Structures are given as C-alpha cells and as structure tokens.
Amino acid sequence: MTILILLRNTVANVRQRTLRANGNGGFVEVKRKFCITTQRQNQLPHLSPYDVNLILRENEFMYTFTDDQSTVLSYETNQLASNSPCEDTRTEASFNNKPGFICGIFDGHGGPACSQVISKRLLRYIAASIIDRKVLNEQIQNGCNSQTFLKCHNDKVDFVKEIKDIYEESFMKFINHLSSQTSKPRAKAIEDAFLLLDRDMSDEALTKTSMMTMSVAMSGAVAVVAHVEGLDLHLASTGDCTAVLGTQCSETGQWTSKKLNNEHNTDNQQEVARILSEHPKEENDTAIRGDRLLGQLAPLRALGDFRYKWSKEDLDKHVVPVFGENFVPPNYHTPPYLTARPDVEHHRLTVNDKFLVMGSDGLWDFLSPSQVVALVAEHLNSKIIMEPVKLPSGDVTLQAISDILAERKAGRKRKPLDQNSATHLIRHALGGTDYGVEHSKISYYLSLPQDSVRYYRDDITITVIYFNSERIKALTSKSS
C-alpha cells in the first residue's frame, strides 16, 4: 500500500517485509542470506573502485567541534541503504541552552515512516526533558517551539505542513506539562521522553486519524541514543541497535571493546522472561513464537508498531477498515505486547575512553564489537600519523626524531582509503576478508538488484563519536 510522502525530498512507501506462513497460525520473515552464488556473481555488473567509492561515500558526514570545553571532539557518520527507501535514519545535535551533545540512530521496519518521524522528534523531547526547569519556563514564555532547544548538524529535510502542525501542537502540550513538574534524574528523564513521544504518536493516530498519522503508527522503529555532557555518557536503547565503547589502556596501548547496551530480541533471555511474565501462562507458546513477538516482530521493544500495543477494539475501529484483518496479529489476546521503554545506561568517561560506535543491526550482521573497535582504532591511528609532527617536550635526540619520522613513514603505507571512519567500517563490513578488503566482494554487495538485496544485507547506519581526551583529563582532575 502506498502512503503519502511524510518528508520533503523523501519517497516514503509503507510496506510489510516479506513474510511466509510458519504453519502455526503466524508468519516469519524470510531470513537474509550472507552468501553469493557463482551464478549470481556472473549476473551482476562489476563496479569499478571509483563507482564503489561514490556509493560508499554518498551519505557520509563529518563534524568537528571548535569549543575546547566540549567533551566530544568530533563525530563521523554514514549510511548505506538496502531498502528503497532506506528505513534507517540518524540525527546529531548540540544543545542551544546548555553544554552537551546528543545523537541517535533509528532503524525502521514496516516502512520508513516511523523512523523518519522519530529521528526528528525524539531528541527534541529528550532535550526539553533534561534542561533546567527555569530555562524551560523562560523559553516557553518567549514563545519557543520544537526547534528551540537543539541545533542539528546534518538535517536536510522537514515535515510537510499538515503533519508538522500536529507535531508542534503535541510538543507544546508536552513541554507545558513538563514545566509544571520538578526535574527528574537524567536517566529517568530520558526514559520518560521515549515513552511520552510514543504516547503522543499513538494519540495523534487515534484522534487525528489520517493516512499520515496512521502510516507512522503502523510502522515502527528501534532506537539507540547517546547523550554526552561533561564526564557523563548516557546511552538509551530500545530494540536491537548496538553501541560499543572503544577504550585504550594508557600503559600497554591495547584496545578493548565494551558494549553499553543489550539488544531487545530473543537472544536476550531476560527480555523473553519479562514478556512472558506480563501475559497469562496460556500464551507462553504464542506471545513469542519462532523467535518473534507474536510470530511476527523481531525486536521485542520498539517505538510505534501500535498494532502490537492498542486494544483489540482500537484495532477493529481504526486499523482493520484501512489496512485489513491481516494487520491484526495472530493470538492477540492481552495487549499490549510491545513497549517503547528504553534501557538507559550511565557511563562515567575516563581518559582511556577514546570513541563510541553506534550502529544499526546491519553493521553487526557483519562485524563483531571487537572487530569494529579494532578497525576504528586502526583508522584513528592512521589519522594521527597524518597530522603535523609534534616533538616531545624537553631535550630530543636526533635518534628520537629519526624514529618518529620512520614510524610516520611506515604509517603512511597503512593510510586507509576513507577519511570517514564510518565509511571505513562499511567498506570492511562488505568487503573484509582474512587478507584485507576485497574489492570484488564489495562490488557484488553493491550491485545486487533491489528486489533481492534485502536478503543479503540490511540498511547500515553508523555514527562514531570521538572524545576529547584533554578535556576529560581536565574534568577528571577537577572532580577528584
């Protein structure tokens, strides 16, 4: 079913992923295959290195902060679509009324509508939730709107007026309600922002019913959001995106990876137990079936997806007349089965923490957290070697200078093809082998026809955040 365009410069068709009957009254999505047959290889066009670079670098973006008081030094991001249109979105922003940086990756399913909307709304809900209440009330008195609290660095689209007015009305109700409440701890405020945005999207679809609001409500998205202020890093995740911290031992130089969240899928037994505990024992065999919620949905938490949240009466009234009976999940007895509630983790930054990598599941289908950290560390070291020579303080011998220059000369031979570390990761995800990056392998993945590429790779979205070690060192000394 074709749905109205939600964003300018964007084609947005809401569609269901390919499902097949599982023989138990439910449906299972056909799984992706990560192999390419010889017959398929012979049928695909061979892309030149120039063509591959154009495709891989089309959506890359880099931003460096000039404020030496910022804990974040820079960030690099990129996206490679598999679906058409891409169901992943991303947003990065600085605060207008306080220090700090916030960014998120949003992986949509059932179409791009929900992820597009969340990427432009969720960070603003969070921003309003965590600023000082006095500042919030001043902004309300000055006639603020949803654009007041954040400066987005790579925002190229806007909502069409019809839907934008609805969202502005919801946001103003949200912040007016916030202004009458006392401030909450940071983690709780972020958690509530997720839930309140999800509630507003539900209310908008039920009370201002249109193809626009319903297309958002019937699609869904998982999310991972990072907020950095001073030494405090908060990581909020709903669904199966992943964030990994890259840490380097100051004594040995060895790199380690640390996952900051656990994915909400059936690999997470604690999450499975939570869902089963919320429904009668008679539903133990149907609430999760075939590693999916109600036999259909892979992530066990998500924003949107209200056909797994609304009452049966609301589905019969609002969904069935437009989308048909098939949109009501099988064995739908005791909703809600799905929540948008995120897990929010707090990490205190140290001088050993060098970068954070956030990625949609399309990245982690190919690379492990330790591989990702090793690749970004390699990329970071190569960039350091390309910077102007900085001699150690004090007396320096000619031999020491010679050693430094020799190390730089050797490092230049390892210079990566891409300046952007997110692009570097995508290149290795698609073309990595035990012997390096194989161009022909990347070419095959990028040449797959639109009707089959989804079964070989998912949308990939990556944001790499580099921390300002000097600033972290100064803040650590100040707080000790």
Side-chain angles (χ1 to χ4, degrees):
M1 176 178 290
T2 302
I3 300 301
L4 297 176
I5 295 174
L6 292 181
L7 299 176
R8 296 191 183 101
N9 305 321
T10 303
V11 178
N13 291 326
V14 171
R15 61 174 178 82
Q16 289 303 107
R17 290 177 175 172
T18 303
L19 302 175
R20 60 175 172 80
N22 62 10
N24 296 313
F27 294 86
V28 175
E29 182 184 349
V30 179
K31 290 186 178 295
R32 294 188 295 277
K33 303 173 184 177
F34 295 103
C35 61
I36 303 176
T37 64
T38 303
Q39 182 180 4
R40 168 68 74 182
Q41 290 179 0
N42 294 335
Q43 294 173 349
L44 297 177
H46 185 73
L47 300 176
S48 69
Y50 176 79
D51 295 328
V52 166
N53 288 341
L54 284 180
I55 296 172
L56 293 184
R57 296 170 183 171
E58 181 180 3
N59 297 310
E60 65 181 10
F61 182 80
M62 305 168 68
Y63 191 91
T64 300
F65 294 91
T66 56
D67 181 9
D68 58 7
Q69 300 300 303
S70 172
T71 310
V72 175
L73 189 64
S74 63
Y75 75 86
E76 299 171 1
T77 181
N78 199 358
Q79 181 178 81
L80 179 68
S82 169
N83 295 289
S84 181
C86 182
E87 294 180 336
D88 282 6
T89 54
R90 69 205 198 263
T91 305
E92 311 87 38
S94 301
F95 289 81
N96 288 328
N97 307 106
K98 71 180 197 67
F101 173 75
I102 189 169
C103 66
I105 288 178
F106 313 95
D107 184 353
H109 47 263
C114 187
S115 64
Q116 290 175 346
V117 167
I118 291 169
S119 71
K120 295 185 66 63
R121 299 182 71 185
L122 180 56
L123 300 193
R124 302 185 191 283
Y125 272 60
I126 294 174
S129 299
I130 63 178
I131 66 170
D132 183 80
R133 287 292 183 266
K134 181 180 179 181
V135 175
L136 177 62
N137 280 289
E138 289 174 351
Q139 294 299 323
I140 292 175
Q141 293 174 5
N142 291 335
C144 67
N145 58 34
S146 64
Q147 310 299 308
T148 300
F149 303 97
L150 290 178
K151 174 188 175 183
C152 294
H153 300 298
N154 187 30
D155 191 0
K156 300 177 181 178
V157 295
D158 196 3
F159 295 117
V160 294
K161 186 179 188 305
E162 295 82 355
I163 202 78
K164 184 175 183 178
D165 291 343
I166 294 174
Y167 293 161
E168 282 295 326
E169 179 183 345
S170 295
F171 184 80
M172 294 310 300
K173 289 180 180 178
F174 166 70
I175 62 172
N176 281 315
H177 176 69
L178 273 182
S179 66
S180 63
Q181 297 183 321
T182 57
S183 297
K184 297 180 180 180
R186 183 63 46 86
K188 179 60 176 174
I190 294 173
E191 176 186 317
D192 286 352
F194 272 71
L195 294 173
L196 292 171
L197 172 59
D198 199 57
R199 180 206 63 186
D200 284 353
M201 292 193 300
S202 174
D203 291 345
E204 290 155 4
L206 293 175
T207 62
K208 297 178 172 62
T209 305
S210 69
M211 289 305 294
M212 289 186 179
T213 57
M214 287 301 291
S215 67
V216 175
M218 291 301 100
S219 58
V222 299
V224 60
V225 174
H227 172 256
V228 184
E229 182 176 354
L231 296 176
D232 295 311
L233 165 62
H234 285 87
L235 195 288
S237 63
T238 292
D240 55 6
C241 292
T242 301
V244 175
L245 189 68
T247 301
Q248 185 180 34
C249 177
S250 56
E251 297 177 356
T252 65
Q254 183 177 359
W255 289 91
T256 57
S257 61
K258 178 183 179 182
K259 281 184 64 177
L260 294 185
N261 67 310
N262 292 314
E263 297 84 358
H264 300 126
N265 54 34
T266 53
D267 292 333
N268 184 337
Q269 290 303 306
Q270 185 176 353
E271 185 69 5
V272 171
R274 178 191 65 80
I275 292 175
L276 295 181
S277 70
E278 294 174 354
H279 301 279
K281 291 183 179 180
E282 292 77 13
E283 295 188 60
N284 280 0
D285 294 332
T286 58
I288 296 179
R289 175 178 288 183
D291 290 334
R292 291 170 183 271
L293 187 69
L294 295 173
Q296 293 188 342
L297 191 65
L300 301 183
R301 298 192 200 184
L303 294 103
D305 282 322
F306 292 107
R307 64 194 185 106
Y308 303 102
K309 299 174 181 176
W310 285 344
S311 68
K312 185 66 163 57
E313 291 74 21
D314 282 337
L315 292 180
D316 289 339
K317 180 179 178 180
H318 297 279
V319 176
V320 172
V322 179
F323 298 95
E325 289 282 353
N326 290 336
F327 257 66
V328 179
N331 303 300
Y332 197 75
H333 305 302
T334 55
Y337 290 88
L338 188 67
T339 180
R341 186 182 303 277
D343 287 334
V344 183
E345 300 294 333
H346 173 249
H347 176 78
R348 189 77 169 172
L349 292 171
T350 72
V351 291
N352 292 340
D353 298 326
K354 301 303 180 184
F355 55 80
L356 176 72
V357 181
M358 302 164 58
S360 59
D361 62 347
L363 170 66
W364 312 105
D365 286 338
F366 288 95
L367 297 173
S368 68
S370 59
Q371 288 175 315
V372 164
V373 167
L375 287 167
V376 176
E378 169 191 75
H379 191 269
L380 177 61
N381 290 335
S382 69
K383 289 200 296 187
I384 293 174
I385 287 174
M386 299 305 294
E387 294 176 353
V389 177
K390 292 183 179 179
L391 296 178
S393 58
D395 296 333
V396 182
T397 65
L398 288 176
Q399 183 59 48
I401 296 174
S402 176
D403 292 342
I404 292 172
L405 294 177
E407 181 182 356
R408 289 173 61 84
K409 183 177 180 180
R412 287 179 180 272
K413 296 178 181 179
R414 302 189 301 270
K415 179 183 176 182
L417 289 173
D418 306 294
Q419 290 186 340
N420 187 303
S421 57
T423 309
H424 183 68
L425 285 174
I426 294 175
R427 187 183 297 276
H428 280 264
L430 299 186
T433 70
D434 292 339
Y435 308 100
V437 175
E438 183 181 326
H439 167 75
S440 60
K441 187 178 177 184
I442 305 176
S443 176
Y444 291 137
Y445 272 116
L446 296 180
S447 302
L448 291 166
Q450 190 58 55
D451 61 354
S452 60
V453 62
R454 181 62 183 80
Y455 305 116
Y456 292 86
R457 62 177 179 86
D458 200 354
D459 299 328
I460 300 175
T461 302
I462 304 168
T463 298
V464 182
I465 304 168
Y466 291 101
F467 299 117
N468 185 343
S469 296
E470 292 301 319
R471 179 57 179 165
I472 291 175
K473 183 178 180 181
L475 289 174
T476 301
S477 300
K478 186 177 180 180
S479 61
S480 60

